[in-house]
Amino acid sequence: MGSLLTLGDRVVVRAACWPTAALADFAAPDFAPPAGRHALHVPATFAHYEAAYATRLREQRRRLWARTREDAGFMRALALVNPGFCRAVAALHFEETPSKSTRHAETTLYRYLARAVGRTEPNGVWSGTALARWGERTRVVSRPARWAFAPELAPLQALAEARLSREPYRRAGHWRLNETLAPDAEGGWTYLARGPRGLARRRVRLAPQVGEALGALRGWGPATWGALLSQLASRTPAGTDVAALAEAFARGGLLLGGPRFPTRFVSAWDALRKVAARLSGPDARAWRRCVHRLGRLCRRLETRFEALEAEAVLAAHEAARECVRTLAAALGEPPPELPRAMLRCDLELPFDLELGPDVKAALGDSLEHHLGWMEDSGLLGRAHAATRAWLLPEGEGAPWAT
């Protein structure tokens, strides 16, 4: 039987960036209640145990603060992913008898420390990736880490699509009715629309005549903005401002099309450059100014990140947010919803990795075993069917099939 897979030339390696030793001594296996079913019911025994427990807990709390709040590298990483919590923690100090808010902060700090030690999914500088290659033997060579900073795209996408949906840009593309639009039992309409947090179901109530005009467009193919206005004008009462109506539909996600934020790009910066090419005049200049400022800000972070204090990272987030707010004003759009962290970072791990034949064989055997189990259990076929159903409309064949 032939192999079910062929390994590529490179392997993506993911690793957490904090050592396991950072958590190891938070356990206390040698500390246990006195033996015997009723031992803790003896007042003297319980008092002794309670005092020892409090002492051990205080030691571990001090250790937690030393490895989180008082560690510059940890606070820098925290500032990158959760600026608000970082500011709150920076204002706290160790308390022998902690308040409720301090206990909650310590719980969150421990969870972030555990994430930095135990999770390999890339997220800021808690963890990172490297490309390993196959070689004659397994070896690791240290080198400096590399950081790649970029702005969070969601608010910039919202601004771009809001501006591109209005004149003069909307006449450049084709438009269609949102295919998910459907009437509900209460006389309204429901549909799916993409927002800052992804797809969400929305509901609107429309005047009966407007609803009928909108319903008449269902199944109507993509058309230019002018043709769409003509269709709406023929289906609404005389005197209706169909241009304002269509614009409201487009901004609300009932109409889709026209120039859009790029869906294919090699990096965040590539996407932002493509948007600049779709804008014109003052809009394009304002967009390029914003991208230039964000680029300069990210380059400074990339070259100095390891030497920065958490306050400098927080200031960079705020500077990026201000860039977006300034761009919104220049485009004549309301400020978009801004994320908790305006800047993102991809970390390239500080080593070059070569994997030998023994690792390659072990990895291949493991993957073969896993795929074989999925095939035998029927999961592989179901995964293929689910992927096909998600990618293709019902009844259609793959567009690349012949």
Side-chain angles (χ1 to χ4, degrees):
M1 178 179 174
S3 174
L4 294 174
L5 56 87
T6 301
L7 296 178
D9 294 333
R10 295 288 188 272
V11 180
V12 177
V13 176
R14 304 191 309 194
C17 292
W18 262 249
T20 55
L23 285 182
D25 52 3
F26 282 103
D30 59 321
F31 188 74
R37 184 176 178 182
H38 302 292
L40 289 181
H41 292 283
V42 178
T45 303
F46 180 76
H48 176 76
Y49 175 75
E50 189 177 37
Y53 178 85
T55 300
R56 185 66 64 93
L57 184 61
R58 188 163 50 251
E59 291 171 356
Q60 293 197 356
R61 289 183 53 241
R62 286 188 181 279
R63 193 173 298 135
L64 175 66
W65 279 72
R67 292 176 187 173
T68 56
R69 168 64 178 82
E70 296 165 10
D71 183 89
F74 183 92
M75 291 297 286
R76 187 165 53 241
L78 183 62
L80 187 58
V81 299
N82 194 337
F85 180 62
C86 182
R87 288 191 186 92
V89 168
L92 297 177
H93 60 276
F94 181 82
E95 301 170 355
E96 291 290 337
T97 304
S99 62
K100 184 177 180 180
S101 60
T102 299
R103 290 199 307 272
H104 287 174
E106 289 176 348
T107 299
T108 305
L109 284 172
Y110 180 82
R111 288 174 176 169
Y112 270 113
L113 182 60
R115 191 256 179 265
V117 169
R119 291 184 61 184
T120 61
E121 294 85 351
N123 181 11
V125 295
W126 299 128
S127 55
T129 61
L131 273 180
R133 60 186 180 276
W134 306 118
E136 296 180 356
R137 60 188 178 91
T138 298
R139 63 191 185 100
V140 180
V141 179
S142 298
R143 61 162 177 76
R146 299 189 186 100
W147 299 272
F149 281 85
E152 183 67 56
L153 286 181
L156 293 163
Q157 177 182 359
L159 276 179
E161 295 197 341
R163 186 65 189 96
L164 289 169
S165 70
R166 296 194 288 114
E167 296 290 359
Y169 306 106
R170 61 184 169 208
R171 295 184 178 274
H174 287 75
W175 295 80
R176 70 184 189 283
L177 196 65
N178 189 326
E179 296 92 340
T180 66
L181 184 70
D184 63 18
E186 300 176 1
W189 295 80
T190 63
Y191 64 102
L192 292 176
R194 189 171 297 280
R197 295 185 177 89
L199 281 176
R201 185 166 294 279
R202 297 181 183 176
R203 184 177 185 276
V204 293
R205 292 189 66 86
L206 303 170
Q209 291 174 318
V210 175
E212 290 174 9
L214 196 62
L217 294 179
R218 295 174 69 189
W220 188 61
T224 63
W225 186 257
L228 176 68
L229 295 185
S230 298
Q231 288 287 334
L232 280 176
S234 67
R235 290 172 167 82
T236 51
T240 301
D241 188 347
V242 292
L245 186 63
E247 181 172 341
F249 287 164
R251 294 175 74 84
L254 290 163
L255 290 173
L256 305 176
R260 307 283 292 182
F261 193 85
T263 56
R264 295 184 180 183
F265 44 87
V266 297
S267 69
W269 302 110
D270 180 45
L272 297 176
R273 284 190 293 269
K274 288 180 176 179
V275 171
R278 298 175 187 184
L279 296 170
S280 61
D283 294 338
R285 289 193 290 274
W287 186 272
R288 290 191 178 98
R289 278 197 304 272
C290 177
V291 173
H292 175 72
R293 290 170 183 165
L294 290 171
R296 189 170 53 190
L297 180 65
C298 289
R299 284 192 295 275
R300 285 202 299 265
L301 289 172
E302 289 168 355
T303 56
R304 303 175 52 214
F305 184 71
E306 248 185 339
L308 294 177
E309 296 292 331
E311 291 78 6
V313 179
L314 296 175
H317 277 300
E318 186 52 42
R321 296 165 75 90
E322 186 58 32
C323 280
V324 176
R325 287 191 284 260
T326 301
L327 175 62
L331 296 178
E333 299 290 341
E337 181 179 351
L338 295 176
R340 179 173 69 182
M342 190 59 218
L343 297 172
R344 300 173 62 92
C345 176
D346 292 321
L347 169 63
E348 188 176 349
L349 294 168
F351 52 75
D352 288 319
L353 182 60
E354 188 174 291
L355 302 178
D358 53 340
V359 176
K360 185 175 184 179
L363 180 60
D365 289 345
S366 178
L367 291 173
E368 290 275 9
H369 177 77
H370 180 68
L371 286 176
W373 173 80
M374 289 189 69
E375 184 69 50
D376 293 342
S377 64
L379 290 176
L380 193 60
R382 281 181 236 164
H384 288 166
T387 303
R388 185 180 180 86
W390 180 69
L391 290 173
L392 302 174
E394 186 177 355
E396 287 192 16
W400 56 85
T402 57

